[in-house]
Amino acid sequence: MTQFPQAFPATRMRRLRQAPWIRSLAGENVLTPADLIWAVFVHDGEDRMPVGSLPGIDRLSVKDAAKAAIRARELGIPAIALFPYIGADGKDETGSGALDPDGLVPRALKAMKDAAPEVGLITDVALDAYTSHGHDGLLDEDGTIPNDATTEKLVQQALVHVGAGADIVAPSDMMDGRIGAIRSAFEEEGFTNQMILAYAAKYASGFYGPYRDAIGSAAALKGDKKTYQQDPANSDEALREVALDLAEGADMVMVKPGLPYLDIVQRVSSAFGVPTIAYQVSGEYAQIKAAAQNGWIDGDRVMMESLMCFKRAGASGVITYFAEEAAVKLG
Ligand code: PBG
């Protein structure tokens, strides 16, 4: 806890707020494009394919994803997080498409790396975009997700991603032990520079709704993810998850969703002192956009305020669908 002296007799807080120059001089946090990770959806079509529940966000073709990488470099956005939309035809029970070295994600990674090698590429390691049932792992007949069998698939998926040029893999599946398994596979295969951003504290949240539309898993999803994602009521559990993932070899950790879980961002960043990334998820974006479209809030202002709040809470970066828009504003 910060200790405050007993009194500041002659201090008037308003003196420090009277004009922009003194507000910026006395300010505690800054937001720059370097704090942003741009969340980008790709699909196998030629045209942009809008996502109804994410106004302003389209699924991009591989070609346009390469252009987005160039755009990120121009705007000073350090990294892109890539998410695939696989049509129903490409999905099956075991999510086999996730392991295809010539699949959509590997092709997009190669195109993006060729176009802008300076931009970091982050991939989502989980099976939900590829399974016909929409779960992040395999699904047994009794409705459970087998942890270790799923982890084996995730390891292969992560290897496919780094083989195609991913700099950071981000396992978002919440299986136990997957960080350690991926790390040892990377060591064995010589991927010693590739990083792991663990979705360490990932909650079973209703805020993921528009994302599930975007990757086409919403209609398919059987049941919910409460047996592997965290209970929104818990906070200490998040610290245990983070500790485990770090011990297993994660380089960075993530808290997700973002704004409703800022207390977790704050606890994790101060307890562990490792790069802590917050994910401003699809439902958070959609809420802001919808209210702005109705004229109920000033969308630009709330976008910038929400992003700054992550910095104040101690996040070193934010995955956000606002990245391009915010970076343009930050100029
Ligand atoms: C799962 C994954 C999800 C998100 C990112 N990776 C959804 C889920 O767990 O169902 C959600 C992101 C968002 O809502 O923006 N692989």
Side-chain angles (χ1 to χ4, degrees), residues 2 19 25 80 204 243 287:
T2 312
L25 193 62
I80 289 180
Q287 281 184 318

Side-chain angles (χ1 to χ4, degrees), residues 56-167:
I57 300 295
D58 298 330
R59 301 154 179 119
L60 305 182
S61 66
V62 168
K63 255 194 199 152
D64 284 341
K67 286 187 196 149
I70 294 169
R71 179 91 175 122
R73 179 175 61 196
E74 279 167 11
L75 290 168
I77 296 171
I80 289 180
L82 197 59
F83 301 95
Y85 166 77
I86 311 287
D89 293 351
K91 299 184 199 257
D92 60 25
E93 272 291 300
T94 61
S96 58
L99 312 184
D100 179 0
D102 301 314
L104 174 60
V105 166
R107 278 182 282 116
L109 287 169
K110 284 179 194 147
M112 293 163 90
K113 259 296 161 222
D114 279 351
E118 304 83 354
V119 175
L121 298 180
I122 305 175
T123 57
D124 193 73
V125 176
L127 303 181
D128 58 333
Y130 307 90
T131 50
S132 45
H133 45 71
H135 279 288
D136 290 5
L138 301 168
L139 184 63
D140 278 347
E141 265 162 33
D142 63 359
T144 58
I145 311 291
N147 188 89
D148 296 359
T150 296
T151 300
E152 280 176 33
K153 298 271 179 202
L154 299 171
V155 168
Q156 292 172 43
Q157 185 185 21
L159 286 171
V160 165
H161 290 174
V162 291
D167 302 290

Side-chain angles (χ1 to χ4, degrees), residues 39 41 54 83 124-129 134 136 170-173 199 202-203 205 207-212 215 217 221 225 228-229 256-257 279-284 321:
F41 294 107
L54 290 173
F83 301 95
D124 193 73
V125 176
L127 303 181
D128 58 333
D136 290 5
S172 67
D173 53 283
Y199 279 74
K202 176 170 176 181
Y203 286 85
S205 171
F207 284 94
Y208 306 149
Y211 172 94
R212 293 180 188 169
I215 67 158
S217 75
L221 185 63
K225 301 191 178 180
Y228 48 104
Q229 299 181 347
K256 174 182 174 192
Y279 195 148
Q280 184 176 45
V281 301
S282 56
E284 299 176 63
Y321 301 94

Side-chain angles (χ1 to χ4, degrees), residues 1 22 100 168 174 203 267 283 306 331:
M1 268 302 266
I22 184 65
D100 179 0
I168 302 181
M174 292 295 279
Y203 286 85
R267 282 191 77 184
S306 67

